[in-house]
Amino acid sequence: MAETQTIPAETLLRTPLHARHVALGARMVPFAGYDMPVQYPTGILAEHLWTRENAGLFDVSHMGQAFLIGPDHETTARALEALAPADFVGLKPAQQRYSQFLNDEGGILDDFMVARSPDPAEDGVLALVVNAACKEQDYAHLAARLPKSVRLLRADRRALLALQGPKAAEVLARHCPDTADMAFMTVRTTRFDGIPVNVSRSGYTGEDGYEISVANAHADEIASALLRAPEVKPIGLGARDSLRLEAGLCLYGHDIDTTTSPVEASLVWSMQKRRREEGGFPGADRIRRELAEGVARRRVGILPEGKAPAREGTEIADAEGRVIGTVTSGGFGPSIGGPVAMGYVEAASAEVGTAVQLMVRGKALPARIVPMPFVPQRYFRGPSA
Amino acid sequence: MAETRYTKDHEYIRIEGDTAVVGITDYAQSQLGDVVFVELPEIGKSVGKGDEAAVVESVKAASEVYAPVSGEVTAVNSALEASPGTVNEDPLGSGWFVKLRISDASELSGLMSEDEYKAFVSTLS
């Protein structure tokens, strides 16, 4: 048994829910500079399955929340379009979108969610959620590149709670009824038992669910109210990772980074047609070339045929044993009941159904390229007409 | 009576005559979390003290199980391949990994007794 390295807890940042995690018996680990719960006493398997069947509450307050504030939507959206390849001008009020900050070579600096304010009085405001480990460099990047008419406002005193799973909607509706009919990837400003909150119907699990942004001072009240529901259990970062892997979602720093483009990362869907055609974002030349001519490697889903998990860094070989890529995320998928992985392979071997071999501890284990997600997405697309 | 010794890497070795049963301690399984996969060596394999004897994987990570002493693998707990969770449920009993024929009994003296191991675990946060 190898020892894990320990970092002194006192140097780590804490979210407003830290004391609650400790009281719940969580195992705390350093993550992106924060002391975060990796699991609660029931363990990752139970937490993962609970979230898929009921509702899980995740503390994601370590993530970076910020606003871009400009004179009108068009100005703010154009400023963001200069840094990321999605269509932000076309966002309707309350609509949310996934995108990536790109460097001048078209590599991914970070991925993020952005929402247009639902409030007409806040025309020109976009709300960002960025990765915890990237937030300082993201903010510096934005500060250096935004035009004078658009400013960055950090929302460092806001917590973020994710409520995910098929029972999330009925639980949240007990505290804020107007969230029940929200469609996937929309946001709403509302109240949770009287507390002002910004709610988005999105998440990182593949399930229906919400992310609730709230002032730090009220975060524990909301967590406490949600955890009183019998449908809700607290879920740590361990299950968050296995849930997102089964959902086929990228983890920054693992599945995407400055060396991967959105085309290689199979994120073309997140670059709307107008942007792909017009360009006007960092690295547009590379991305348009990759779209026209194809890529040398591509992110794919990989299903090992046996029971052994293939972890990040595992070499992927073709049927003849030639190395054609690397696993970037891999582990055990509790809902699949076996190993799942994603990684990059040469484009010629990226077709669904291709047989590959995973080099695990010196042995070649059979696997094949499969479509992602590994589990069906169960997003709420809106009230039926 | 069977005597059990412990390593700083949280393996136990229970001596039963000239055979020894090797597994991981309750502390180790609780630190690992849910065990989802176990890889066992071939019967007949010779392992040196500190060599990898098996692999245990939780949802999050893979860890090695090291041989506490040198010996030859005489049996493996194949039941773990179908139900790896047994390592969590009964690490000292039915969750054992391998049996070794000890080649150098003097290596046992370098391992911790149960009291020493308990004291060692209490120093870990």
Side-chain angles (χ1 to χ4, degrees), chain A residues 156-237:
Chain A
D156 290 342
R157 293 182 184 174
R158 291 189 77 79
L160 193 64
L161 281 65
L163 185 67
Q164 300 280 302
K167 294 185 181 167
E170 62 180 279
V171 171
L172 190 59
R174 291 173 204 151
H175 305 277
C176 28
D178 62 350
T179 55
D181 66 347
M182 290 173 67
F184 181 59
M185 296 295 274
T186 65
V187 297
R188 185 161 289 180
T189 303
T190 180
R191 285 177 182 272
F192 181 110
D193 297 343
I195 301 164
V197 290
N198 297 325
V199 177
S200 103
R201 196 156 198 168
S202 66
Y204 196 45
T205 61
E207 298 297 322
D208 183 23
Y210 302 86
E211 293 191 350
I212 304 159
S213 171
V214 60
N216 278 350
H218 294 294
D220 195 61
E221 262 175 276
I222 290 185
S224 170
L226 291 172
L227 288 170
R228 273 198 296 273
E231 299 93 336
V232 180
K233 287 189 191 295
I235 311 296
L237 294 179

Side-chain angles (χ1 to χ4, degrees), chain A residues 27-48:
Chain A
R27 179 173 307 158
M28 306 299 288
V29 297
F31 183 81
Y34 287 78
D35 194 33
M36 297 296 287
V38 67
Q39 65 168 86
Y40 298 87
T42 49
I44 295 173
L45 276 183
E47 291 173 27
H48 176 115

Side-chain angles (χ1 to χ4, degrees), chain A residues 1 3 27 38 43-45 238 242 307-309 311 332 361 363, chain B residues 9-11 30-31 34 37 39 55 57-60 64 66 81:
Chain A
M1 294 284 304
E3 282 293 320
R27 179 173 307 158
V38 67
I44 295 173
L45 276 183
S242 56
K307 290 186 174 175
R311 306 282 175 180
F332 181 83
R361 291 183 287 273
K363 285 176 221 155
Chain B
D9 294 318
H10 308 287
E11 291 94 9
S30 75
Q31 288 295 304
D34 302 304
F37 177 76
E39 187 173 288
V55 175
E57 301 210 22
S58 67
V59 180
K60 281 200 75 65
E64 293 79 30
Y66 301 115
E81 287 166 357

Side-chain angles (χ1 to χ4, degrees), chain A residues 112-364:
Chain A
F112 63 93
M113 297 285 260
V114 58
R116 179 175 175 181
S117 174
D119 182 353
E122 287 184 346
D123 186 47
V125 175
L126 293 174
L128 296 174
V129 179
V130 304
N131 280 300
C134 302
K135 63 186 173 186
E136 294 302 332
Q137 74 183 53
D138 287 348
Y139 297 156
H141 178 70
L142 285 163
R145 300 230 186 169
L146 286 174
K148 284 200 166 53
S149 56
V150 178
R151 70 188 172 95
L152 172 74
L153 177 67
R154 296 173 60 141
D156 290 342
R157 293 182 184 174
R158 291 189 77 79
L160 193 64
L161 281 65
L163 185 67
Q164 300 280 302
K167 294 185 181 167
E170 62 180 279
V171 171
L172 190 59
R174 291 173 204 151
H175 305 277
C176 28
D178 62 350
T179 55
D181 66 347
M182 290 173 67
F184 181 59
M185 296 295 274
T186 65
V187 297
R188 185 161 289 180
T189 303
T190 180
R191 285 177 182 272
F192 181 110
D193 297 343
I195 301 164
V197 290
N198 297 325
V199 177
S200 103
R201 196 156 198 168
S202 66
Y204 196 45
T205 61
E207 298 297 322
D208 183 23
Y210 302 86
E211 293 191 350
I212 304 159
S213 171
V214 60
N216 278 350
H218 294 294
D220 195 61
E221 262 175 276
I222 290 185
S224 170
L226 291 172
L227 288 170
R228 273 198 296 273
E231 299 93 336
V232 180
K233 287 189 191 295
I235 311 296
L237 294 179
R240 182 168 160 85
D241 190 50
S242 56
L243 288 159
R244 70 92 197 166
L245 173 57
E246 283 184 344
L249 300 169
C250 291
L251 176 60
Y252 190 80
H254 300 261
D255 309 303
I256 48 176
D257 59 30
T258 53
T259 70
T260 58
S261 78
V263 185
E264 292 175 323
S266 301
L267 297 172
V268 173
W269 58 269
S270 70
M271 301 185 287
Q272 284 72 28
K273 187 160 173 272
R274 174 177 66 79
R275 302 305 316 281
R276 299 201 301 257
E277 288 173 1
E278 291 178 3
F281 51 83
D285 290 349
R286 170 187 177 179
I287 282 160
R288 294 170 74 188
R289 187 179 65 244
E290 288 179 347
L291 287 168
E293 300 171 10
V295 286
R297 59 172 186 161
R298 196 145 62 78
R299 183 176 65 94
V300 294
I302 303 153
L303 194 67
E305 286 174 12
K307 290 186 174 175
R311 306 282 175 180
E312 180 177 359
T314 300
E315 281 188 340
I316 307 166
D318 64 14
E320 285 72 47
R322 189 176 60 88
V323 174
I324 53 164
T326 309
V327 170
T328 52
S329 283
F332 181 83
S335 300
I336 299 294
V340 290
M342 65 170 87
Y344 286 81
V345 296
E346 290 177 4
S349 298
E351 286 308 310
V352 165
T354 305
V356 296
Q357 306 183 73
L358 302 171
M359 308 307 293
V360 177
R361 291 183 287 273
K363 285 176 221 155

Side-chain angles (χ1 to χ4, degrees), chain B residues 34-113:
Chain B
D34 302 304
V35 173
V36 296
F37 177 76
V38 168
E39 187 173 288
L40 299 166
E42 301 278 318
I43 291 172
K45 182 183 177 184
S46 284
V47 291
K49 176 180 161 70
D51 288 353
E52 178 186 306
V55 175
V56 56
E57 301 210 22
S58 67
V59 180
K60 281 200 75 65
S63 307
E64 293 79 30
V65 179
Y66 301 115
V69 298
S70 306
E72 181 192 332
V73 176
T74 57
V76 299
N77 187 3
S78 307
L80 296 183
E81 287 166 357
S83 45
T86 308
V87 176
N88 296 114
E89 291 150 18
D90 190 14
L92 303 173
S94 51
W96 62 278
F97 281 72
V98 300
K99 291 184 181 173
L100 294 179
R101 184 179 298 119
I102 299 173
S103 54
D104 180 1
S106 71
E107 288 176 349
L108 290 166
S109 61
L111 302 176
M112 286 180 276
S113 68

